[in-house]
C-alpha cells in the first residue's frame, strides 16, 4: 500500500466520484485519528472516547459520506451517526446486545424468518458504514458466513416454504457484496415459483453513490422478480447530487424506492428535520416507509428518544406533510409476527 500524504487525500476527495465503488469502499476512513483530523476536531476532546468506541465496534466512514459533513462541527448530524462518544462505554439498564432476539429466528444459516411471507437473507456481515446505533453491532456475524452448502440449504428452505413470497437481502449491507455473487443468488431465487419479490435493505447507494454501477443495473433490470430497495437515510443532508443521480438510475431500472429511518437523539429528533427529510426523499424519487423507534442496543442509549416524544414528532409531521410522506412509526418487538405500530393518539 502506498502511504498517502495529506495532499493526496485532498486530491482523492475531489475525484472520488470517478472511482469504482470497490475502491471507494476500501479507502473508507477506519481510524479514529484520521476521522477527527479530516473533520478538524480537536483530538484532546474527542479521541479517547472515539478510540474506546472503536474497540467495541470499529469506525468505518466512506469518503462520499464524509464529504457531506461540515468541518469543525461535532454536532454534525452525519458525523453523530458514525463518531463514538464516551456514552458508548456506559452501561444502561435494559440496553442489550441482541435487542430483537434475532438469534432465535434463524431458519438455517444466513436466513432469518420472523414473518410469515418474508424471509431475510444475511448476504454478508459487511457494511459500507458503521452506524454507532446499529442494532446489529453485537451480532455474531462470523457465525453467518455462508459456504456453498449453506447457500444450497437457504435455497432449499425457501423452495420448501410456499408461504414466502418475498426475499429480503440484508446484512450487514447486501450491496457490499459483488454483483456476480448477487446475480447468482437472484438467479437461484427467481427459479422458485412462489417468490415474486426481491427486497434489498441497503445504505450503499446513499453513502457510496458509485455503487449504482452498470453491473448492478444490469441484473436489476434483467430479473423477473419485482425489486424494492429500502434505503436507510436519517437526515436530509445525507442526500446530495451524486446520490440523487444514483437513485434516478435505480428508478429507471424499474426499482421501487422506499426509505426507513431510525429516530435518533441529536440527528433527527426535530419536526423540521423529519419534514425536510421526507421532502428531500420524495424529490429524489423515494417514499418514506418506516420510522423506527430506537432499539435498546447496548452502547447506544444516548441516541434513545422516548416514545412520547416520537409520537409528538409524527403527529407534528401529519400537520405538515401529505399523508404519503409521513412514515409509519413502528417498533420491532421480539417474538411478534410483524413490526408493531406505535399508536400516535393513545
Ligand atoms: C423488518 C423485517 C422484515 C420486513 O418487515 P416489513 O414489515 O415487511 O418491512 C422481515 N423480516 C425480518 C426479520 C425483519 O426484521
Ligand atoms: S446494518 Fe445498517 S445501520 Fe447497521 S451498521 Fe450497517 S448500514 Fe449501519
Amino acid at each position: 500500500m502506498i502511504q498517502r500524504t495529506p495532499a493526496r487525500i485532498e486530491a482523492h476527495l475531489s475525484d472520488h466520484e470517478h472511482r469504482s465503488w470497490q475502491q471507494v469502499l476500501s479507502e473508507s476512513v477506519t481510524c479514529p485519528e484520521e476521522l477527527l483530523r479530516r473533520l478538524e476536531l480537536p483530538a484532546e476532546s474527542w479521541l479517547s472516547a472515539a478510540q474506546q468506541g472503536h474497540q467495541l465496534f470499529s469506525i468505518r466512514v466512506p469518503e462520499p459520506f464524509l464529504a457531506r459533513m461540515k468541518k469543525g462541527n461535532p454536532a454534525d448530524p452525519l458525523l453523530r451517526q458514525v463518531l463514538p462518544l464516551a456514552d458508548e462505554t456506559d452501561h444502561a439498564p435494559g440496553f442489550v446486545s441482541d435487542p430483537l432476539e434475532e438469534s432465535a429466528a434463524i431458519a438455517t444459516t444466513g436466513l432469518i424468518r420472523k414473518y410469515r411471507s418474508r424471509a431475510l437473507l444475511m448476504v454478508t456481515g459487511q457494511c459500507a458504514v458503521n452506524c454507532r446505533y446499529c442494532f446489529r453491532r453485537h451480532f455474531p456475524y462470523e457465525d453467518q458466513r455462508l459456504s456453498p452448502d449453506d447457500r444450497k440449504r437457504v435455497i432449499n428452505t425457501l423452495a420448501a416454504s410456499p408461504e414466502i413470497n418475498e426475499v429480503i437481502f440484508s446484512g450487514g449491507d447486501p450491496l457490499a457484496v459483488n454483483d456476480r455473487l448477487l446475480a447468482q443468488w437472484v438467479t437461484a431465487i427467481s427459479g422458485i415459483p412462489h417468490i415474486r419479490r426481491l427486497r434489498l435493505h441497503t445504505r450503499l447507494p446513499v453513502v457510496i453513490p458509485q455503487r449504482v454501477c452498470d453491473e448492478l443495473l444490469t441484473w436489476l433490470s434483467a430479473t423477473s422478480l419485482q425489486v424494492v430497495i429500502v434505503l436507510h437515510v436519517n437526515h436530509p443532508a445525507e442526500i446530495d447530487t451524486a446520490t440523487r443521480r444514483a437513485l434516478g438510475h435505480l428508478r429507471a431500472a424499474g426499482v421501487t424506492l422506499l426509505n426507513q429511518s431510525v429516530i435518533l437523539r441529536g440527528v433527527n429528533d426535530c419536526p423540521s428535520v423529519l419534514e425536510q427529510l421526507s421532502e428531500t426523499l420524495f424529490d429524489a424519487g423515494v417514499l418514506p416507509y418506516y420510522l423506527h423507534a430506537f432499539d435498546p442496543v447496548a452502547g447506544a442509549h444516548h441516541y434513545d428518544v422516548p416514545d412520547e416524544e416520537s409520537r409528538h414528532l409524527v403527529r407534528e409531521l401529519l400537520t405538515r406533510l401529505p399523508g404519503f410522506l409521513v412514515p409509519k412509526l413502528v417498533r420491532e418487538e421480539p417474538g411478534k409476527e410483524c413490526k408493531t405500530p406505535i399508536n400516535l393518539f393513545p
Side-chain angles (χ1 to χ4, degrees), residues 1 4 12 21-31 34-35 38 59-66 126-130 204 207-208:
M1 269 284 292
R4 270 193 266 122
H12 154 82
W21 69 268
Q22 289 93 341
Q23 253 176 317
V24 178
L25 182 62
S26 71
E27 290 170 3
S28 299
V29 173
T30 53
C31 150
E34 191 183 352
L35 181 59
R38 292 285 304 277
I59 287 178
R60 171 173 285 277
V61 191
E63 285 294 338
F65 194 68
L66 187 71
Q126 251 243 294
C127 282
V129 56
N130 282 351
L204 253 155
V207 300
I208 304 183

Side-chain angles (χ1 to χ4, degrees), residues 111 113 116 156-165 192 194-195:
L111 197 68
R113 175 96 188 274
R116 194 175 311 152
N156 291 342
T157 306
L158 292 172
S161 316
E163 353 42 275
I164 298 177
N165 61 18
I192 304 172
H194 51 265
I195 296 182

Side-chain angles (χ1 to χ4, degrees), residues 100 102 105 112-115 117-120 135-136 166 168 199 201 230 260 289-290 292 332 338-339:
L100 309 181
E102 285 195 326
I112 295 186
R113 175 96 188 274
K114 284 198 200 166
Y115 306 156
S117 64
R118 291 89 88 207
L120 195 142
F135 69 88
R136 296 215 166 95
E166 177 169 332
I168 304 172
R199 194 195 311 183
H201 283 178
V230 182
Q260 53 186 344
Y289 179 36
Y290 282 144
H292 291 270
E332 197 163 331
C338 60
K339 314 271 183 240

